[in-house]
Amino acid sequence: MAMEKLGLGSFHLEPDGFSIHTFELTRKLSAVDYKKLRDKLYRNCPAGGIFRDRDWPGQGERHRCQWFRKSGLRISLERDDYDVGTNCYLRIAVNPRKLIDPGSSYLGILPPDEGSIRSLGKKFMLLLKDSGLPCALNAYQLSRVDLCVNIRCDTSKLFKELLRASRKLPAPEKYERVYYQCKDKKASKKVNKHYIRLAHATRELVMYDKTYQVVENGLLLDQESLPKGILRFEVHEARERIKKIEKKLGSSDVEAQLFYYVENSKAYLLRCFGRAFPDEKFLQKEELEEVIHAKADADLRDAMTRLVEILVHTQSVEKAMKKLENEGFQTAGVLEQFQKLGVSPVPLRKKFCARSLPGPASLLKKVSEGAVRVCYTKGKSSRR
């Protein structure tokens, strides 16, 4: 007699927990200082270490310097030309984990403690002291900080389905879904299968398959083995928001600001993703329909059931809602009703191995408290 074999998949935090994975430093330059620094870098950089970025869309010029790339620094010089004048900037994007330990994995993020902040400040100064670039963190302004957490999954089927279903979720209010685009449409489509980016004027939310990114960009270290999947959650804070933290702290000290963001990274990530993705879980189509008919408001049941049916073959909730409206259904209150019931209108695939999965924000909250287990069917086994 054939019986189903059951498995237990798990999601859990990577050891670094909640912290920072990248930040950007900016220094405004006079036109004279800009030219001096640009010329100095072209003289001092190893051959091919600096080049003009011909694809830059701005008016003026941008030069990219890769001198310290292996140590986690991406340096650029920008001259923006306007009708009323010129602005010049030195920008340095910092991967703090690579700065502290250039041999560390690209899966790692900054260890969340004050000692790591002090260490990266010292490393930054030592690395740049003979380069001709300002070498103290406080010679710059903190212009962007990317908060981050990595969640490891030990079962690829669960990981891939969670990402597939999450891609269909609607952009939250005031945010816009941004898709990766390049000249190769197939390459763009491939990236967007692994990547979700929601943009606001002063903040971005990003969720993506970090294992795919590491392999695709050739960042895998020798002898490094990857897990079945690493789901990375990020909150990108722009300068406008950082200025408020400067005011709150009463200081423009870069190390103090970085330590504030490390201490508060968990609260930021949970709050931002919790507001963006309020649905608690994904269900199979049949389970969704049972919940709708048992608990939903009677006047919304038909529209909710039809929305689930449309989403089986439609790539986003926004497109499905437009189709629902075109079919003559009243859509007001439909998505709010799903939220009230704690379920997503996006159904899991028909033959998917599990009956339910936590939604992205629900997963993030639960995994911050401990490992999240998901029971799934592994296949059939024969038993006499």
Side-chain angles (χ1 to χ4, degrees), residues 134-201:
C135 62
L137 286 178
N138 284 335
Y140 301 83
Q141 228 177 32
L142 186 63
S143 53
R144 171 173 157 161
V145 60
D146 296 354
L147 311 177
C148 171
V149 65
N150 289 319
I151 296 177
R152 179 183 292 246
C153 182
D154 63 4
T155 308
S156 59
K157 290 180 180 179
L158 301 181
F159 178 79
K160 290 176 181 178
E161 180 64 3
L162 176 63
L163 201 55
R164 184 201 70 83
S166 297
R167 286 201 316 271
K168 293 190 178 189
L169 294 173
E173 187 180 1
K174 297 182 180 179
Y175 284 83
E176 179 183 355
R177 177 74 187 269
V178 179
Y179 295 92
Y180 174 79
Q181 293 182 330
C182 67
K183 293 179 181 178
D184 186 339
K185 291 185 178 181
K186 287 186 178 179
S188 297
K189 186 176 181 181
K190 188 176 181 182
V191 170
N192 286 316
K193 286 179 65 177
H194 300 267
Y195 180 79
I196 299 166
R197 178 183 168 200
L198 302 169
H200 179 274

Side-chain angles (χ1 to χ4, degrees), residues 151 162 166 169 207 231 233 273 277 279-280 282 358-365:
I151 296 177
L162 176 63
S166 297
L169 294 173
M207 187 172 72
L231 186 62
F233 290 79
F273 278 94
F277 300 117
D279 299 338
E280 292 183 8
F282 298 108
S362 177
L363 173 65
L364 186 58
K365 183 177 185 300

Side-chain angles (χ1 to χ4, degrees), residues 213-354:
Q213 190 234 9
V214 166
V215 172
E216 196 71 10
N217 291 300
L219 302 176
L220 190 66
L221 303 181
D222 292 341
Q223 309 303 316
E224 183 180 11
S225 59
L226 290 176
K228 297 295 184 182
I230 292 285
L231 186 62
R232 174 169 281 189
F233 290 79
E234 298 178 3
V235 172
H236 303 168
E237 295 283 283
R239 177 62 193 164
E240 289 82 353
R241 291 185 181 269
I242 294 170
K243 280 162 57 176
K244 294 179 181 179
I245 301 307
E246 279 187 7
K247 186 176 181 180
K248 178 178 180 178
L249 297 176
S251 171
S252 60
D253 182 83
V254 172
E255 287 191 15
Q257 292 171 49
L258 291 174
F259 185 58
Y260 169 85
Y261 277 112
V262 166
E263 279 195 311
N264 292 279
S265 56
K266 178 179 176 179
Y268 270 85
L269 282 151
L270 292 182
R271 183 174 69 250
C272 291
F273 278 94
R275 290 173 177 173
F277 300 117
D279 299 338
E280 292 183 8
K281 58 186 174 181
F282 298 108
L283 298 175
Q284 292 275 2
K285 180 174 177 288
E286 293 76 12
E287 275 79 1
L288 263 178
E289 290 170 344
E290 288 177 9
V291 171
I292 291 167
H293 289 293
K295 298 181 179 181
D297 291 347
D299 56 344
L300 293 174
R301 288 174 190 164
D302 289 346
M304 293 173 72
T305 302
R306 179 57 184 148
L307 179 61
V308 172
E309 292 172 351
I310 295 171
L311 276 165
V312 172
H313 302 293
T314 305
Q315 296 307 307
S316 73
V317 168
E318 288 93 341
K319 289 180 180 179
M321 288 291 284
K322 286 180 181 178
K323 187 170 183 180
L324 188 68
E325 192 171 333
N326 290 337
E327 291 181 4
F329 286 93
Q330 293 295 320
T331 58
V334 169
L335 294 182
E336 290 80 0
Q337 185 74 183
F338 278 105
Q339 291 175 17
K340 184 178 179 181
L341 299 179
V343 295
S344 172
V346 179
L348 298 172
R349 285 185 296 108
K350 185 176 181 179
K351 295 184 179 180
F352 180 57
C353 59

Side-chain angles (χ1 to χ4, degrees), residues 10 12 22 61 92 119 124 265 270 288 291 303 337 351 357:
S10 70
H12 59 270
T22 307
E61 62 181 32
I92 304 181
S119 179
F124 186 84
S265 56
L270 292 182
L288 263 178
V291 171
Q337 185 74 183
K351 295 184 179 180
L357 280 176

